Each structure stands twice: as structure tokens, then as C-alpha cells.
Amino acid sequence: MLGTAVEGSRVSERVGARELLRRVLDGGAWTSWDEPVGAGAETGAASGAAPGYRAELAAARERSGCDEAVLTGEGRLRGRRVAFVVSEFRFLAGSIGRATADRIVAAVERATAAGLPLLAAPSSGGTRMQEGTAAFVQMARITGAVMAHRAAGLPYLVYLRHPTTGGVFASWGSLGHMTAAEPGALIGFLGPRVYEGLHGEPFPPGVQVAENLAAKGLLDAVVPIDDLAGVASGALAVLCGRAPAPRPEPREAAEPEAVPEGPAGARDRGGDAWDSIERSRRPGRPGVAELLRHGASDVTPLSGTGQGEADPGLLLALARFGAAPCVLVGQDRRSQRAGHPLGPAGLRVARRGMSLAAELGLPLVTVVDTPGAVLSAEAEEGGLAGEIARCLADLLTLAAPTLCLLLGEGSGGAALALLPADRVLVARHGWLSPLPPEGASVIVHRTPGRAAELAAAQGVRSADLLRAGTADVLVDELPDAADEPAAFCRRAAAAIERELSGLVAGSPAARQARYR
């Protein structure tokens, strides 16, 4: 799991580029891709710039031991070949000039051509002011190279170091599939010194700090340098993975406790609808967090939308079930019932996961387990209905294999938003209803007291969903997941792995067909 530093922590050390590579790459060994900065590049950079710029470059080389503000190359990360672009802050505050941009773009393009994942570790004040606008526009060029790398389906991981500000943060520092930062790092668009010089007052404290940005959903995690190799390796184990080929044995031969039950096998031994609803609400019933803890490996949580929103009721993670890697989007029922009901931001987090799966060609696993979306003025004004619609649209048209696990409560539009998939698993006591049964009873009978009666009439049980073709596979409970949480989670994880093996993305028409 990714770690988050204690709030209020400060950077305890400023690590240079070579030291970072020594501590992150296997054996501290790496191969440089850097071509020497030629005299022509230096002359072009210095022409028309501030007087003394050439002397500043010479002093920066002497001080840093580097010929430019970045080092690029390749090495091994826990045995995996990776490319890197690492800033050297001691070289003119890690600023980006034209020669710097040339080096970064060449490295990104080389990584793309070689099919390598790319680790970027910026530490920079932004554009090199001595070169002015000509340097400033290089950020667009670097961004283009990074997006071409991503378009090739290759992972791009970013580790923001102290400090990272300006155009670097606003371009290649904010485009990672996963973005982490070192504890206490200053990270922001406008540097605090510039802000104070322009506005005559200091920037509000505690805002441009890694821990705060992680809490706001702008970063996925805060990670000490010595933990970076493990975190990045775990993420790449999923991001570089591919689902295994289908197993040769027939589906019926696998794990008898999770045997698919179609119309003929969807017996009523699970009890009545209200029994399942009550069981699904038991405090001890395992949720998505327990599913990952007991049934998955290489779990890397991702935080928020990456655009300033987070929602504790929605969990986004990279994970592996057996040999099958995936992006997982799961509703955390426990968090929702503890004061964090699912809102528009949570659905936007889910859509980030969908986009990530499509871009990297990974299967998407959705976990439905929700008492329902938040009902509030803020949610209405925040576009809750529109986000449910966009989740449905994205899922139905996603260019990646999709698998849904209906784990427990499946109430209302929040459940529907993550339901349409190529294959659907349902726990024995999972259920799906247009509203919480009590709310449906109020609509039909003007009282919540007939909820059990209405739930039975609506066909909400797993047996009903299997019979109707809304779900494909039953994950059994023996007799109740709350009484066997670890065993149930392992059983569900095994079912997920089997279903992901050989799963291919269906067409929108095929995904809709099950509801006819």
C-alpha cells in the first residue's frame, strides 16, 4: 500500500539526481542517455539572454557536477527495465531551458520507441527565466512527448520532489498515471517567493505542501524516497501486466464454491429478499477494502480525481488478482455509512479509473456496494445525476474488458453507475434495487413499513439477477460473508481471476443486450 506522511512534516533532506537514482534503482546502477550539451546549444540559449548567463551555466556545472538540469537514462527497478528523467535542482534550480527540453524530449521519445515505462522525478522552479519565452514554450513540447508515450499504452509515473513549481508542475509534472511526492515537499503552480513579491503578502501556509495536495486528491500518495522503489515496482507490476490467457479447464471445474449458477442453478436457498438485505447491512460484512486485503496482491491505491477532488466512499486502486492485473473501482460501503456517502466527486474518481484502464489496456473491475448516493443540495448542484449518466456511458463504451462484482448493497443510481460490464459476479446476499427498499415502499405504499414485501416483489435478490441474466456468476456465502470474511474474500478473488482470464472488451450493444 502507498504511505502518506504525517501532516505537517518537513523535507528532511534535499536529494540530488544521482543520489536519488542510487537509492531507487537496483544496485544504484544506471545507463545514461544524455548527449553532451554542445557549444552551439549553449550559444543559442545565451544569445539575447541576460548578461552573464553563460557564466551562470558554467557555475551551475561546477556546483552540480551536471552539464544540464536533468539526467536521463535507463536502469532496473526491482528487476524491471525502466527509463527515467530526473531533475538536478542544484543546476539553476532545476529550471527548463531549450537544451534541457531537448534532453527530456529525446529521453521520452526513446523510452516510447523502446516500449519502456518512464519514471519522472522533477524538482524545479519551472522555466529558465534567462531564456524567456523561447524556454517557456518548451513545456508544450515536453507535454506532447509525454502524451505520445501514454498514447502508446506505456506507464508514466511521476515523483514530485522538493520543490516543484511553475511550468514543470503545470506540464510534465502533472500528467502521471500515478503521481506521488516526497514528504513535506513544496509543490505549487506559483512559487511562494513570486507570490509574495507580486502581492506583498506571504502565500497562505500549508497549501502548497505534498500532504495537503494528497488530501485534496491532487496526488496519489506521499512517499519517502527510500520507499519509492517498492511503491513504483508495485504499480508497474499492474500497469505493465496483461490478463492471463483462458485456463484450459472448463469453467465448471474451477473452485466449486464459486460455480456459476445460471437460470437452472439459481435456486432460492439464499433465503428471501429481506434476509439478504439485512445480511448485506451487517457491520461485520467484508467490503472492498477487505477484498483487496485478503484476495489481491500488488495493491496500489490511487487518490482522488487528480483534479482536486477526493471521495472516501469510492476506492480506486491498481491490483492483481492471482495472475490477472486490473484497475479496480470500488464503493466502500463502510466509509459511506460512516459519514462519507457517495457523491459526484466519487463518480468522477471512478471515471478516472475507467480512463486509466482504457489507456493502458487493462481490465476494469468495478465493485458495487452502496446504500445509495448522497442526497443533498450540494450533490444536486455538483452534478450528481450527470455523473451517474457519464459513468454509465463510459462503462458501456469502454475500450477495455470490464467485470463487475455486486458485493452487497446495490441501491439506486450509485449502484447502477458501476454495473454494466462484460461479466457480472454477484455475492449470494448481494442485491440490486432502484432505491433502498424502505424508500421504494414509501413511494408505492406511503410507508417504509412494507419494505420487505416490496423487495420480494421487485426481484432484487442474487437468484433473481442470475435468472434474468443481469448477473452471470454467483459467489457463494457459507452461509454469510460476515461469518467468514477472509474465506469469502478469497473465494470472490478467485472468481474475479477466473473471469478476467481471457476476458475481452465487448461492444456497447453486447453490454446492453443483457438488459433486454
Side-chain angles (χ1 to χ4, degrees), residues 33 74-83 110 114-118 236 240:
W33 287 354
E74 67 171 279
R76 296 274 173 179
L77 182 68
R78 302 286 173 93
R80 185 185 302 277
R81 188 181 170 204
V82 298
R110 182 168 175 176
L116 295 179
L118 179 61
L236 291 175
C240 295

Side-chain angles (χ1 to χ4, degrees), residues 53 70 93 117 119 128 141 154 230 304 369 429 431-432 461 493:
Y53 178 39
V70 293
L119 173 64
R128 191 168 296 172
R141 186 167 155 239
L154 296 169
D369 194 8
H429 297 300
W431 54 274
L432 183 69
R461 300 172 308 162

Side-chain angles (χ1 to χ4, degrees), residues 188-236:
F189 176 58
L190 190 63
R193 187 174 66 177
V194 175
Y195 179 91
E196 186 167 1
L198 291 174
H199 298 280
E201 60 183 17
F203 195 83
V207 174
Q208 295 177 311
V209 180
E211 287 77 5
N212 180 58
L213 299 185
K216 301 297 184 184
L218 288 163
L219 305 178
D220 292 311
V222 179
V223 179
I225 289 174
D226 290 329
D227 294 339
L228 178 58
V231 169
S233 176
L236 291 175

Side-chain angles (χ1 to χ4, degrees), residues 241-243 324-328 357 361-365 400-403 500 503:
R242 291 294 181 267
C326 69
V327 176
L328 181 139
L362 290 169
L364 178 78
V365 174
T402 56
L403 177 68
L500 289 181
L503 185 65

Side-chain angles (χ1 to χ4, degrees), residues 3-8 179-181 184-185 187 206-223 302-314 340 345 349 352:
T4 300
V6 176
E7 184 178 358
T179 303
I187 300 167
V207 174
Q208 295 177 311
V209 180
E211 287 77 5
N212 180 58
L213 299 185
K216 301 297 184 184
L218 288 163
L219 305 178
D220 292 311
V222 179
V223 179
L302 303 179
S303 176
T305 61
Q307 299 175 24
E309 292 183 295
D311 189 331
L314 196 290
H340 303 289
V349 174
R352 176 193 174 192

